Amino acid sequence: MPPPQPLITPRCPTLRSVSTNIGTQSLDANSSLFKFSNLTSFSIIVRHGLPGSDPFLPAEELPHAFWDMILHRCPTLEELAICSFSSSARVFNFDRVVEGSWPALHSLTLGSFGYNEDFSLGPLTLLNDGAITRFLANQRSLKYLRFIWNFRSFMSPDEVSFTLPSKSLPSLTTFIGIYQQLAKLDNPETIETLDLTCEPIYQTRMPAVCPILRSLPNLTSLEIWVHLFDPNTDNAQIFNGIMEACPKLPDLPFMCTHSFTS
């Protein structure tokens, strides 16, 4: 085995925040992008709009240098994003994030999550043994939590085992993901901002969604995407259900779509 290469200090040694959008080019394992220390914020994001149509795309390994930087040289990390907004074209394997110990971490974005070829939810290594749930249970400072889900080809399951961990996340105020993850939330009173726009919520699911909304007494902002089967019928009960579940809501960014009709 060759001896380890000495770490080359970047030319901006006092830089504390780094964010990069990734396209189709391969990652350079020797890039200076992975040679920082003591960062407080780092984002590596596959950008929107890359062409691709594979619903079960294998995840790409991130360079060892990236994990060495994030896990071992950035103990004061406050914000971290490892995700893809073109998950049918390119996705990263972010499994090793559960090895991190960042007491000051207050913002976390991960994804994409979604179906494997056998229609189990993945990544398997994170969800099957509860590794990510245990990791989240230790994030006492986390305020912003976002999970990117890829349900473009198939609708999410009615129930998921990957819910937010019980008796944890005491500081969480913003959650972005799927409503099923909130079904067993122990401290719903902390949630102020909720974004449910990662997939359309069909009107048949509103009876399951509204009780969850009703359990969030301090919700001040809700973003939701509702899909209607028949736009020519009276769908007022959907909107009435949302407003009855969130009577104190001052902010409601709302998206509504419907199926094509002949």
Side-chain angles (χ1 to χ4, degrees):
M1 179 181 296
Q5 297 297 313
L7 184 67
I8 300 174
T9 303
R11 295 187 178 185
C12 303
T14 61
L15 197 65
R16 293 294 174 261
S17 180
V18 176
S19 180
T20 181
N21 277 358
I22 304 298
T24 58
Q25 291 187 352
S26 299
L27 295 177
D28 180 2
N30 297 313
S31 171
S32 295
L33 180 66
F34 307 129
K35 299 186 186 303
F36 289 95
S37 297
N38 299 315
L39 294 175
T40 58
S41 177
F42 189 90
S43 299
I44 183 166
I45 299 171
V46 177
R47 66 175 178 83
H48 287 276
L50 296 185
S53 58
D54 190 342
F56 308 115
L57 195 67
E60 174 184 343
E61 296 295 331
L62 286 161
H64 174 77
F66 164 76
W67 291 114
D68 183 58
M69 175 183 71
I70 290 296
L71 296 176
H72 303 301
R73 301 200 312 276
C74 298
T76 59
L77 201 65
E78 298 176 3
E79 301 178 6
L80 177 63
I82 310 171
C83 67
S84 172
F85 290 110
S86 295
S87 50
S88 296
R90 189 175 191 181
V91 291
F92 292 134
N93 182 343
F94 50 89
D95 289 6
R96 291 191 63 190
V97 72
V98 298
E99 300 175 26
S101 178
W102 303 292
L105 189 69
H106 63 74
S107 176
L108 177 65
T109 299
L110 295 175
S112 76
F113 297 85
Y115 286 119
N116 299 302
E117 287 188 278
D118 62 356
F119 284 91
S120 61
L121 289 183
L124 286 173
T125 49
L126 283 182
L127 301 189
N128 277 10
D129 64 359
I132 194 167
T133 300
R134 293 191 296 273
F135 166 74
L136 290 174
N138 293 322
Q139 306 308 311
R140 309 294 292 177
S141 298
L142 205 59
K143 297 180 179 179
Y144 177 101
L145 183 56
R146 182 177 190 178
F147 295 120
I148 310 297
W149 289 87
N150 178 17
F151 289 125
R152 290 185 179 180
S153 301
F154 311 98
M155 192 166 68
S156 65
D158 291 333
E159 296 182 2
V160 300
S161 59
F162 176 29
T163 56
L164 298 190
S166 60
K167 303 185 187 306
S168 60
L169 301 174
S171 304
L172 189 66
T173 60
T174 298
F175 177 74
I176 303 172
I178 55 177
Y179 74 90
Q180 298 94 318
Q181 292 181 277
L182 298 172
K184 299 178 181 179
L185 194 62
D186 273 2
N187 50 334
E189 68 280 354
T190 67
I191 303 295
E192 298 175 359
T193 300
L194 177 62
D195 186 328
L196 299 177
T197 59
C198 65
E199 70 165 339
I201 296 177
Y202 286 78
Q203 59 195 99
T204 53
R205 284 189 161 181
M206 292 310 298
V209 173
C210 286
I212 292 175
L213 297 179
R214 197 174 296 115
S215 72
L216 309 176
N218 296 317
L219 199 63
T220 58
S221 179
L222 169 65
E223 292 191 43
I224 192 168
W225 175 8
V226 173
H227 184 83
L228 307 177
F229 288 114
D230 186 356
N232 297 316
T233 61
D234 184 4
N235 294 290
Q237 70 274 14
I238 297 175
F239 309 106
N240 290 338
I242 294 174
M243 299 313 300
E244 289 173 1
C246 310
K248 300 179 181 179
L249 196 67
D251 188 15
L252 180 61
F254 193 95
M255 181 163 60
C256 184
T257 53
H258 62 80
S259 302
F260 289 108
T261 57
S262 57

